[in-house]
Every structure is written in C-alpha cells, then in structure tokens.
Amino acid sequence: YQRRVRGEKEKTKELVYSLLPREIAEQKIGSNAPVVPKVYSNCSFFYSDIKGFTSIVADLTNLSDGGPMDVVEMLDNLYTIMDKAIGQNDVVKIETIGDAYVVVSGLPVPDINDAVHAKHIASFALDVLSTTKDITVRRLNNRPVYMRIGIHSGCCVAGLAGNYMYHYCIYGKEPRYANCLESSGEANRIQMSDDMRKILERNFQYQFSFVERKPPIHVSGSKKKTDRTWWLTGQAGVHRDMPHNDDIYKKLEFRRKISSTANPKLLLKGVAKLKSEATREHIRTLSESSDISSKKKRIKSDTVSQVSHSTLGKKSNHAVKKHK
C-alpha cells in the first residue's frame, strides 16, 4: 500500500512539473507561501506563431465535416514536436496561446554564465524550425504550415499568477520586443535582435551563422526609426535539415561552408576573398565607366573639330568671293 501511495505521489509531482518550472513547483509543493516575483537580468526569449493561421482556421471551419477538432489536431502535432525540442535544450516553456508559443532561458535559476541563455534559445529556435518545416494541414490538401520566430535577449520580471490553475508569467518590454520580432518576421525564418547577435558573437564566436536583414525595418514598440535585425541560419558542428530560403542561402553558401568548420583562419581568408572580389568588381566598373567617358570625350572632340573645319572652310570661301 505504501508503495502505491509513493507511486501516486510521484505521478502527481510529474504532472505539476509539466505545468510549472521544476523549481517553482517544488516551492509550491513544499509550502503554501506565495511565490515572490523576481527580476532576471540575463534572459533570452523565444516567440513563434503560424503565418496565415487565421486563414487556415477559417478554411478548416468552412469544411462540411471539419472544424475546431482539426485545428486542435494541427496544433497538437505542432506543439508535440516543439515540446520534444524543449527536452533537448535548457529552456522553460512559458505558455501557448492559440498558435503562439513562448519559451525563455535564464530563469527561474539564473545561469552561472551570463551569456549561455542566448545559446540555448538560438539552438532551440533552430531545432524548432528544422523539425516543424514538414508539418502540413491534412484536411486542406496537406497545406504547409509556416513558422515565424522571433528571439531576443534582455531582462524581465517573472512570477506566478493566481491560486488556481497556476500560470508562470514573464513581463517586461524585452519579452514584448521579442514578440514584435516574431510578428514582423517572415515565414520559415528566425528573426534575431541585434542585442542577441552581439551576445552570440562575443561569447560563442563562429558557432552561429546569421545574415543581416535588408532593408532594415521598424519593429513595433521600438523607439528607433529602423531596427537592425538578423536572420539566424545555422549552428557550426550541428547538422539540421533547415527549410530552404533561396534569397538568403544563396548569399550564405560561402559563409556557411566556413562557419561549419569553426576555423577563424578560414573565416578571415573568406572575408579577404570576398573583399578582393568586391574590389575587382569595383575597379572593373570604374574602368568601364572611364572608357565610356573617354569615348564620349573623343566623339565630342571629333565633332567639335569637324564643326570648326567646316566653319573655317565656309569663311575662306566667303573671303575669296569677296576678294574677287
């Protein structure tokens, strides 16, 4: 009997652990004292949604034998895959609202290394994008499901809300900015803030590959007119079957080969090669323009000389007639 009781207690604990971060759950199980909200200075945030989710839901509900059950089935397939990626990374799932999925790293236990939270979120985002790219809506002729992802690093306040069906929440302008990066992103891409890019470059140099978004955009909620953002594209030494975006990956073909080796010398050689190619192209353009301008000058001078010769000829003829 005691063994059965212990087994049921363990099941109850595991259920609570699946609803709340383990540290917060243990605090609530151990005592009924309220969980005090805390400020976390070094965190990274992940926000995602489904591009065109509203139209997918509308098309499903318009089916004669379809409706909300098909929407729940699609979301369940998607979230099951994303939950599996959580188990492979040191991140905490915060909530799912409709098609939105929110994850954070760096809390409730702060990282010893103030930058590793950015690496965890970047790796998690790449895992999600690579594993969800083949998800389709079965009832809509296997219509593809495209993810939009925004990631950012900063501070936030986290705490437990309510006394029934607890909800562990994060608040602050930094999580809100990550949400705006997601909503202003594009299908099957990970839009990363410049703050997070600096953390990755400073602490995990050559481990992640990314390209700057051109032209820059204004992210809602930002005080800047335009925000410098980046597309996260890969991680050195980790093979993932990423969705293929031609306009990004064609530009990054050379850079990805370099970053996969994680060799600084090769990276410097690659940069020098790109610079030399750009210089040669610039010189060629200048030479072509100078040739064109010199040709124009020659044509102009020939025209002027022809005009002057004809003018002199007319004047001499006129002078001869007058002499006669």
Side-chain angles (χ1 to χ4, degrees):
Y1 174 77
Q2 294 294 333
R3 187 180 301 173
R4 287 181 59 187
V5 170
R6 284 196 299 270
E8 292 300 321
K9 284 184 177 180
E10 290 300 322
K11 288 181 181 179
T12 303
K13 282 186 178 181
E14 290 301 321
L15 179 60
V16 176
Y17 293 157
S18 66
L19 299 174
L20 295 171
R22 181 175 290 267
E23 294 77 14
I24 302 298
E26 289 177 349
Q27 187 176 343
K28 289 300 294 182
I29 292 172
S31 68
N32 289 325
V35 177
V36 180
K38 292 183 180 180
V39 177
Y40 295 90
S41 302
N42 298 293
C43 300
S44 289
F45 315 99
F46 168 102
Y47 280 76
S48 72
D49 73 348
I50 299 173
K51 186 174 178 61
F53 179 71
T54 305
S55 62
I56 292 175
V57 172
D59 292 341
L60 283 173
T61 52
N62 288 333
L63 295 175
S64 58
D65 57 343
M69 292 296 293
D70 295 303
V71 177
V72 173
E73 179 187 351
M74 176 192 67
L75 292 177
D76 180 58
N77 293 334
L78 178 65
Y79 292 161
T80 300
I81 294 174
M82 296 176 74
D83 289 344
K84 185 178 179 181
I86 282 184
Q88 299 169 351
N89 296 274
D90 188 9
V91 296
V92 176
K93 180 180 177 181
I94 297 298
E95 61 184 351
T96 57
I97 304 174
D99 63 323
Y101 195 97
V102 184
V103 171
V104 65
S105 181
L107 57 81
V109 178
D111 293 318
I112 298 175
N113 182 340
D114 290 340
V116 74
H117 54 85
K119 179 181 179 181
H120 292 321
I121 286 293
S123 298
F124 174 74
L126 291 168
D127 286 343
V128 167
L129 198 58
S130 64
T131 54
T132 60
K133 66 182 181 60
D134 296 324
I135 291 181
T136 59
V137 184
R138 179 178 54 84
R139 296 295 306 280
L140 298 178
N141 296 322
N142 290 322
R143 181 190 297 182
V145 174
Y146 296 120
M147 300 289 295
R148 293 187 306 185
I149 298 174
I151 55 178
H152 174 55
S153 297
C155 62
C156 73
V157 174
L160 203 59
N163 293 317
Y164 178 71
M165 294 186 70
Y166 297 116
H167 185 197
Y168 189 68
C169 310
I170 57 173
Y171 303 96
K173 65 177 183 180
E174 307 298 350
R176 190 164 57 250
Y177 187 77
N179 188 13
C180 294
L181 286 172
E182 165 255 300
S183 59
S184 63
E186 296 181 1
N188 277 349
R189 289 179 179 174
I190 304 168
Q191 186 167 215
M192 178 174 62
S193 68
D194 196 45
D195 291 339
M196 190 170 184
R197 189 267 309 175
K198 291 176 182 177
I199 294 174
L200 292 176
E201 275 197 339
R202 185 168 58 247
N203 298 276
F204 308 100
Q205 202 170 18
Y206 312 118
Q207 291 191 28
F208 292 92
S209 58
F210 36 79
V211 61
E212 187 172 0
R213 181 173 185 174
K214 297 284 188 174
I217 61 167
H218 171 70
V219 178
S220 177
S222 173
K223 295 180 180 179
K224 301 177 183 177
K225 290 184 178 179
T226 57
D227 293 76
R228 194 180 188 190
T229 62
W230 304 76
W231 301 121
L232 180 65
T233 57
Q235 184 177 4
V238 181
H239 175 72
R240 296 182 179 93
D241 188 12
M242 302 295 292
H244 191 70
N245 296 310
D246 288 337
D247 55 338
I248 284 183
Y249 285 92
K250 281 181 180 178
K251 297 176 184 177
L252 283 182
E253 183 177 359
F254 182 68
R255 184 173 178 180
R256 282 187 292 126
K257 289 179 181 178
I258 296 172
S259 62
S260 62
T261 61
N263 191 329
K265 292 183 179 179
L266 286 180
L267 182 61
L268 293 174
K269 287 182 180 178
V271 172
K273 182 178 178 181
L274 291 175
K275 285 184 177 179
S276 62
E277 289 177 355
T279 304
R280 285 199 297 271
E281 181 68 20
H282 183 63
I283 292 172
R284 186 179 64 80
T285 305
L286 288 176
S287 63
E288 288 179 355
S289 61
S290 62
D291 290 341
I292 292 171
S293 60
S294 61
K295 286 180 182 178
K296 287 182 178 178
K297 288 180 180 178
R298 284 200 300 271
I299 293 171
K300 186 176 180 180
S301 61
D302 293 342
T303 305
V304 171
S305 62
Q306 289 176 4
V307 170
S308 61
H309 284 309
S310 62
T311 305
L312 288 172
K314 288 180 180 179
K315 287 183 177 180
S316 60
N317 291 333
H318 179 70
V320 169
K321 287 181 181 179
K322 189 175 181 180
H323 179 70
K324 289 181 178 180

